[in-house]
Amino acid sequence: MENKMCVVMQIIYLLGFSFMFYLSLAVADEKVAALEPLAKTKSMQTYIVWVEKPVSDLIAQSEHEDLGSWYQTFLPQTIANSNQLKKPRMVYAYHNVATGFAAKLTAEEVEEMEKKDGFISAHPERNLQLHTTHSPNFLGLQQGMGLGKGPNYGEGVIIGILDSGIFPDHPSFSDEGVPPPPAKWKGKCDFGGTVCNNKLIGARSFNGGKTTGGPPFDNEGHGTHTSSTAGGNFVKGASVFGMANGTATGMAPHAHLAMYKVCSDDRCSESDIIAAMDTAVDDGVDVLSLSIGGGSAYFYADGIAVGAFGAIQKGIFVSCSAGNDGPDYMTLSNEAPWILTVGASTIDRNIRATAKLGNGQEYDGESVFQPKDFSSKQLPLVYAGAHSNDSSALCDVGSLKNVEGKVVVCEVGGGIGRIAKGVEVKRAGGVAMILVNPDFAGYTTIADAHVLPATHVSYSAGVSIKTYINSTSTPTATILFKGTVIGDQLAPKVAFFSSRGPSLASPAILKPDIIGPGVSILAAWPFSVDKATESKATFDIISGTSMSCPHLSGIAALLKSSHPDWSPAAIKSAMMTTAEVNNLAGSAILDQTLLAADLFAIGAGHVNPSKANDPGLIYDIQPEDYIPYLCGLNYTSKQIAAITQQKVSCSKVGVIPEAQLNYPTFCIYIESGGEPQNYTRTLTNVGPANSTYKLAPLRLHKMDITVLPEVLTFTEVNQKLTYRVVFAAQDGAGKDGIPFSQGYLSWVSHQHSVNSQISVVFDYE
């Protein structure tokens, strides 16, 4: 893994990024908190503690009681023997997705714990962050068509959402047309009374060990938005400020929802997240959706990765957001191969607001707030940073002066929210705002509910606007509001903020896995944004991989409803091998620069739900198949046991290279002119019983690739066939200024095309 990381660092450097920034990032990754010596301090903090399962004859009570008693034996005697101290020190005891517990401990107490038989590891809990309509139509899921056609709409499937809570009275959570939950459901509703229904069947709150920490109301909006995106019911007349008007619906409008509140004040504690996943498995969910992350970590030190593995062992699909730290490389969260890691892309709708300058030039941007009474008359235009400091250019709080009656140009960024910049412009007397992107954000623009007339324009437009301001002593501008415009043929485009690979935790697994709608997404909101409606049908338009994740979670629910016998890996494979690599215009998907996006941005491509429902072939992976892969990461037996909840001997189960995992994509690191690399993949037929697939022509820059056999003939459903791929880099590969090669391997029949993306990174002196 270290050699691969060196290669990745070399690639990043060649691509023009700051070497020192990535060096510090890589070094930080090598010093994950779980591996650092514990600082000797008497201060107490919450630790996540992984232990082995108890020997069965030690305790002869129920399994949950067995584990609870077993966990108590690891606590210092002064704690374990004191009834007064037990409750406040033991925060959570995990029973399903992990073998371990969360407890308030000092570093010295953890050091003592390490001496006990059965102890695996302990690390201070991480505080993670939230990764903060028309999209079903864009995905081909409009009512009566595509995968959404027919009687189910995800019926019988339960989606568990881990987020900031939910606003249960919103009409998106009406149970009209939704049948009762399946008999397996064992969850609870902490709202009390009759608030929960056949749509919102469960609601729990987790707060530092308080699993009934009050009703899980959503005070932030994030959880309400993600829940309705995944499985909200049909709501007619949805809009924000009259924009994006239409029928709002989630991906699986008749699926059941269960909210597990784990976040408040933009903080999501790792111990709460694991506890919620643990409870959700007990409750009987089919899909887990987490728009939460905290950067890269070794899988055994990542509570979400450990919890997700426990979930997939129970047949539960897990979808997570990739993170909002793009466009830099190596910025992913939630990288484990048993998790679907989702990046963000645009849809073909924008809420257009055009900046018109005094020289007649017009630059299209976006804004949800579009006042009808704003005059098209030209107004004085000023760049806030023209003669001042950076805080003024960013329109930071209290930074603006002498802007009364003017249109103010503000730079996006600086840790200041886009809407907050408008608040400052309005406070200082400005009448309108033009938000301009920094260079790294390129052409990604976002529709926000601003507090004054505004538009968000691209970096290129911003350069032109500032050039115009400098060209005249009396610059002027206005904003022309053009409403909802559908039909952007360049959609989907990768959003600048969407985190990119390569994966730090496992470089030979191509991540993110897939992209989906995550820019300017309309969904349910707990309160009115425009303050103009008394209706409970309140919506907002927001952006982030937090928005793309629940799209994929809802689509997973549709696939689970349609194919109840499919494993989590089968559902994931179906999405990935049928993903689109072209936009609506038929050309390659672009990124924020309007250049072709690479595979570290799009993964397998953009989700196509209808094709995913009928993939023809799948790459299946059983939970036990991940064990040789984990051995190949050079994890110790104890570290693997923390993930798998079973004792593992790598010498007995075998070791495979990362790239040998039966994954739907390939990510290869290879030396120029060096030894060829051989990998196998096994495909399972889920299409017609008698079908023949032929290998499509395969060409990658500076690569010789051999696939054997070149024809796969299936004679029955669920039959498995294996093929072998030999990768050989040609002499001089990587020395021509092109550090990697990308393409795809495709198996084609009369009815299906099964695609596996290939990313090859060249290693050379």
Side-chain angles (χ1 to χ4, degrees):
M1 179 171 168
E2 289 179 2
N3 289 338
K4 289 173 186 167
M5 193 54 59
C6 290
V7 176
V8 173
M9 300 289 288
Q10 187 177 43
I11 302 311
I12 299 302
Y13 179 73
L14 287 171
L15 289 172
F17 294 96
S18 167
F19 180 80
M20 290 309 297
F21 171 80
Y22 285 99
L23 180 60
S24 64
L25 186 61
V27 170
D29 182 65
E30 292 299 319
K31 295 182 178 178
V32 173
L35 298 183
E36 290 180 335
L38 297 170
K40 292 191 176 181
T41 172
K42 294 187 181 299
S43 63
M44 208 175 295
Q45 58 184 312
T46 300
Y47 282 83
I48 309 295
V49 182
W50 305 135
V51 299
E52 296 175 356
K53 282 188 179 294
V55 178
S56 58
D57 60 358
L58 285 180
I59 311 167
Q61 301 171 25
S62 74
E63 183 180 353
H64 281 203
E65 290 175 340
D66 281 359
L67 288 174
S69 301
W70 172 240
Y71 297 158
Q72 288 289 343
T73 66
F74 288 89
L75 297 178
Q77 285 302 113
T78 53
I79 299 174
N81 293 336
S82 169
N83 288 328
Q84 287 184 328
L85 291 175
K86 272 184 186 178
K87 286 187 177 179
R89 300 294 289 275
M90 180 73 79
V91 180
Y92 290 113
Y94 306 126
H95 303 100
N96 295 305
V97 300
T99 303
F101 56 91
K104 295 186 181 298
L105 301 163
T106 66
E108 287 86 349
E109 289 169 339
V110 173
E111 200 171 74
E112 283 299 309
M113 196 183 296
E114 291 173 353
K115 301 173 185 176
K116 299 192 175 186
D117 291 339
F119 174 87
I120 293 178
S121 65
H123 66 271
E125 73 167 352
R126 299 194 298 163
N127 284 319
L128 311 182
Q129 298 82 39
L130 294 165
H131 286 154
T132 244
T133 153
H134 175 69
S135 54
N137 286 0
F138 180 65
L139 294 171
L141 294 175
Q142 57 266 44
Q143 209 162 349
M145 294 183 67
L147 182 53
K149 184 179 180 180
N152 61 63
Y153 291 122
E155 280 185 14
V157 178
I158 303 167
I159 307 173
I161 310 283
L162 275 66
D163 215 293
S164 64
I166 196 167
F167 185 63
D169 293 335
H170 197 284
S172 290
F173 309 122
S174 160
D175 63 356
E176 181 179 352
V178 182
K184 69 173 182 174
W185 174 247
K186 298 187 295 182
K188 298 178 181 179
C189 180
D190 287 348
F191 284 120
T194 58
V195 173
C196 287
N197 56 25
N198 287 339
K199 164 56 69 177
L200 180 61
I201 61 174
R204 305 288 298 275
S205 188
F206 296 80
N207 183 13
K210 301 173 184 176
T211 55
T212 55
F217 284 110
D218 185 9
N219 299 319
E220 301 177 35
H222 193 276
T224 299
H225 199 280
T226 57
S227 298
S228 65
T229 300
N233 213 333
F234 299 99
V235 182
K236 294 181 179 179
S239 69
V240 181
F241 288 109
M243 299 295 111
N245 191 31
T247 297
T249 176
M251 298 296 100
H254 286 181
H256 309 286
L257 292 172
M259 169 54 66
Y260 300 88
K261 181 175 181 177
V262 296
C263 302
S264 58
D265 300 324
D266 201 32
R267 175 184 178 274
C268 317
S269 78
E270 188 177 18
S271 61
D272 290 342
I273 291 168
I274 303 169
M277 297 176 83
D278 207 58
T279 302
V281 169
D282 241 359
D283 289 347
V285 304
D286 300 294
V287 175
L288 280 171
S289 183
L290 292 83
S291 293
I292 300 168
S296 183
Y298 297 125
F299 300 146
Y300 55 83
D302 181 344
I304 291 179
V306 171
F309 193 89
I312 65 117
Q313 286 179 309
K314 307 282 187 178
I316 298 167
F317 185 89
V318 184
S319 172
C320 294
S321 49
N324 296 338
D325 295 317
D328 292 337
Y329 287 89
M330 300 192 296
T331 52
L332 292 166
S333 294
N334 304 314
E335 302 156 285
W338 48 87
I339 292 172
L340 183 74
T341 309
V342 187
S345 56
T346 64
I347 57 177
D348 66 337
R349 179 192 68 202
N350 61 72
I351 316 298
R352 189 164 296 169
T354 301
K356 183 175 182 178
L357 308 183
N359 61 3
Q361 294 298 308
E362 296 186 5
Y363 301 95
D364 289 336
E366 294 194 73
S367 174
V368 175
F369 177 51
Q370 302 212 353
K372 295 179 180 178
D373 58 353
F374 188 70
S375 173
S376 60
K377 178 183 176 182
Q378 290 284 314
L379 298 165
L381 175 66
V382 61
Y383 171 46
H387 304 292
S388 191
N389 54 34
D390 288 342
S391 65
S392 294
L394 295 167
C395 297
D396 199 357
V397 177
S399 67
L400 297 182
K401 297 177 182 178
N402 304 318
V403 298
E404 293 86 351
K406 297 178 180 179
V407 178
V408 183
V409 175
C410 300
E411 302 273 1
V412 170
I416 307 152
R418 296 180 301 275
I419 294 174
K421 294 173 188 289
V423 171
E424 170 60 14
V425 172
K426 188 172 183 179
R427 179 206 64 79
V431 295
M433 174 178 67
I434 301 174
L435 279 171
V436 301
N437 271 344
D439 57 354
F440 63 80
Y443 288 86
T444 299
T445 58
I446 295 171
D448 288 312
H450 290 289
V451 299
L452 82 171
T455 184
H456 177 190
V457 301
S458 68
Y459 170 70
S460 176
V463 170
S464 297
I465 291 169
K466 285 182 279 188
T467 299
Y468 162 69
I469 291 173
N470 292 331
S471 72
T472 176
S473 59
T474 57
T476 61
T478 190
I479 299 175
L480 307 177
F481 295 106
K482 299 181 179 179
T484 304
V485 180
I486 294 175
D488 179 5
Q489 292 299 296
L490 295 183
K493 300 188 292 287
V494 182
F496 84 86
F497 56 76
S498 186
S499 289
R500 269 54 166 189
S503 166
L504 283 168
S506 183
I509 297 295
L510 181 62
K511 290 281 183 170
D513 290 306
I514 203 163
I515 56 174
V519 178
S520 301
I521 302 301
L522 182 144
W525 203 249
F527 45 83
S528 174
V529 175
D530 57 21
K531 311 289 193 261
T533 178
E534 299 289 329
S535 169
K536 291 182 179 178
T538 50
F539 295 86
D540 198 4
I541 293 177
I542 59 176
S543 302
T545 54
S546 277
M547 284 62 257
S548 51
C549 169
H551 277 88
L552 274 294
S553 304
I555 293 167
L558 292 177
L559 295 176
K560 183 70 174 177
S561 180
S562 184
H563 304 280
D565 57 330
W566 279 8
S567 69
I571 293 173
K572 180 176 179 178
S573 173
M575 291 181 181
M576 292 174 65
T577 60
T578 59
E580 300 288 350
V581 295
N582 291 331
N583 56 27
L584 294 178
S587 58
I589 291 175
L590 308 178
D591 64 15
Q592 75 285 346
T593 67
L594 297 188
L595 298 175
D598 62 44
L599 298 186
F600 297 129
I602 67 170
H606 190 275
V607 64
N608 184 321
S610 298
K611 286 186 177 180
N613 191 44
D614 182 22
L617 306 174
I618 56 167
Y619 294 89
D620 206 358
I621 307 174
Q622 298 304 312
E624 59 269 21
D625 297 335
Y626 291 105
I627 295 176
Y629 156 81
L630 293 170
C631 291
L633 290 177
N634 293 322
Y635 286 0
T636 67
S637 295
K638 282 195 171 186
Q639 290 164 348
I640 296 171
I643 299 167
T644 63
Q645 301 186 74
Q646 58 186 278
K647 288 188 175 181
V648 171
S649 170
C650 289
S651 61
K652 292 181 180 179
V653 301
V655 178
I656 62 170
E658 296 168 64
Q660 178 56 39
L661 186 68
N662 199 44
Y663 214 64
T665 54
F666 294 85
C667 192
I668 308 299
Y669 296 78
I670 194 164
E671 292 183 14
S672 172
E675 288 295 316
Q677 296 183 19
N678 291 260
Y679 301 101
T680 60
R681 290 289 190 271
T682 299
L683 285 161
T684 302
N685 181 28
V686 293
N690 293 294
S691 51
T692 297
Y693 289 80
K694 295 181 179 180
L695 182 71
L698 178 61
R699 294 183 183 88
L700 271 74
H701 177 73
K702 288 290 185 179
M703 287 293 298
D704 294 322
I705 301 176
T706 304
V707 180
L708 294 172
E710 295 186 354
V711 178
L712 299 175
T713 301
F714 295 88
T715 57
E716 56 188 75
V717 176
N718 292 324
Q719 180 183 357
K720 298 179 185 293
L721 291 176
T722 298
Y723 66 91
R724 182 166 60 94
V725 189
V726 181
F727 295 93
Q730 298 172 4
D731 288 339
K735 298 179 181 179
D736 55 0
I738 303 176
F740 53 76
S741 181
Q742 299 186 337
Y744 60 90
L745 183 157
S746 185
W747 293 101
V748 181
S749 73
H750 292 300
Q751 294 177 253
H752 301 94
S753 181
V754 183
N755 301 318
S756 290
Q757 298 292 343
I758 301 172
S759 179
V760 178
V761 179
F762 297 122
D763 182 10
Y764 60 93
E765 294 300 327

